[in-house]
Amino acid sequence: MRVEIWSDIACPWCYVGKARFEKALEAFPHRDQVEVVHRSFELDPGRAKGDVQPVLAMLTKKYGMSQAQAQAGEENLGAQAAAEGLDYRTRDRDHGNTFDMHRLLHFAKEQGRQDELIQLLYRANFAEERSVFTEGDERLVELAVEAGLDGEAARTVLADPAAYADAVRADEREAAELGANGVPFFVLDRAYGVSGAQPAEVFAQALTRAWGDRSPLKLIDDGGAQACGPDGCEVPQR
């Protein structure tokens, strides 16, 4: 079974939702047969690469809330993250364009290190003092290396704006086609969708239902076709 997760590194509920989903997956009896794929979704796709601002300033401008309301929201998110065993800095974080991170995640997927990299990107953005937005490509390269990727290869990807750009855009188009207008958005076997950072119990129910509802393969065979198997290939007899 495949679970696809549309998310953005700048999305705090994606950070929390991933932890809740993984808690449900860890307890799922068929977890070894579940493939998890992370898909791209930008919360702020129109933001220029060098346009970085404090999270509180972004929240007050985008949602029309006061500084106090924005800070209260961050404190609430910090408590939600802590309940899942996650570190979360409720002050002095910044916000910027995540497109290069998504490109790097597609590269990491090809190398079998996507989940490792996305977790490190979340940690860097939400829990660490160093910014993933203001230090340039070298900060992302450091995280790529920590995730087990080749540093020079990661640097080459980041230096080429076209590298994996089409893959990111394809993910975003697909999200729109599926009706996802926010993240996190979980799609189980292209049969069930779960929106938001639901409790682990909801993810557990979704996994169980999706697994149970998988349709067995319907074989069309008139019995007369030759085939190859572990013992060799059938040879037509004259």
Side-chain angles (χ1 to χ4, degrees):
M1 183 168 73
R2 171 180 279 199
V3 178
E4 297 163 277
I5 307 173
W6 272 264
S7 59
D8 191 11
I9 301 305
C11 165
W13 288 117
C14 296
Y15 179 46
V16 173
K18 182 177 186 292
R20 292 175 178 173
F21 170 77
E22 288 174 346
K23 185 180 295 184
L25 183 61
E26 179 63 28
F28 186 56
H30 310 288
R31 61 185 178 275
D32 293 338
Q33 298 177 63
V34 177
E35 177 192 13
V36 178
V37 178
H38 297 282
R39 301 291 191 192
S40 300
F41 190 105
E42 294 174 275
L43 289 175
D44 203 353
R47 181 177 291 270
K49 182 176 179 178
D51 183 7
V52 181
Q53 68 180 142
V55 166
L56 291 187
M58 179 274 294
L59 291 172
T60 56
K61 181 178 179 180
K62 186 172 183 178
Y63 299 107
M65 58 177 64
S66 67
Q67 283 276 124
Q69 288 172 322
Q71 186 59 54
E74 284 294 286
E75 298 293 341
N76 176 56
L77 279 163
Q80 298 273 354
E84 304 303 330
L86 302 172
D87 292 329
Y88 189 97
R89 296 178 67 237
T90 60
R91 296 178 183 274
D92 301 322
R93 287 193 306 107
D94 55 19
H95 175 80
N97 181 285
T98 57
F99 188 66
D100 283 349
M101 298 180 207
H102 286 295
R103 293 196 300 111
L104 198 59
L105 283 166
H106 275 279
F107 166 66
K109 180 177 181 293
E110 286 187 350
Q111 308 302 313
R113 310 300 294 179
Q114 189 185 44
D115 192 70
E116 290 83 355
L117 180 58
I118 197 169
Q119 190 59 37
L120 287 170
L121 288 169
Y122 279 141
R123 185 197 72 190
N125 186 41
F126 292 108
E128 297 180 355
E129 290 187 15
R130 294 177 63 191
S131 173
V132 292
F133 299 109
T134 61
E135 294 192 25
D137 291 350
E138 287 307 308
R139 177 63 175 137
L140 298 184
V141 170
E142 286 180 16
L143 294 169
V145 170
E146 190 175 346
L149 296 166
D150 179 78
E152 286 306 312
R155 187 175 286 106
T156 298
V157 169
L158 291 168
D160 179 5
Y164 301 96
D166 288 346
V168 175
R169 297 305 184 210
D171 277 357
E172 294 175 336
R173 286 194 301 272
E174 199 163 12
E177 290 166 2
L178 291 169
N181 52 19
V183 285
F185 189 72
F186 301 77
V187 177
L188 291 75
D189 255 2
R190 290 300 170 108
Y192 293 95
V194 179
S195 180
Q198 300 285 349
E201 294 78 9
V202 173
F203 288 122
Q205 293 167 9
L207 287 165
T208 299
R209 184 169 180 180
W211 183 269
D213 286 357
R214 290 177 308 144
S215 299
L217 185 68
K218 295 178 175 62
L219 186 63
I220 299 173
D221 184 4
D222 64 2
Q226 287 75 38
C228 294
D231 299 323
C233 299
E234 298 176 19
V235 179
Q237 302 297 314
R238 293 186 178 181

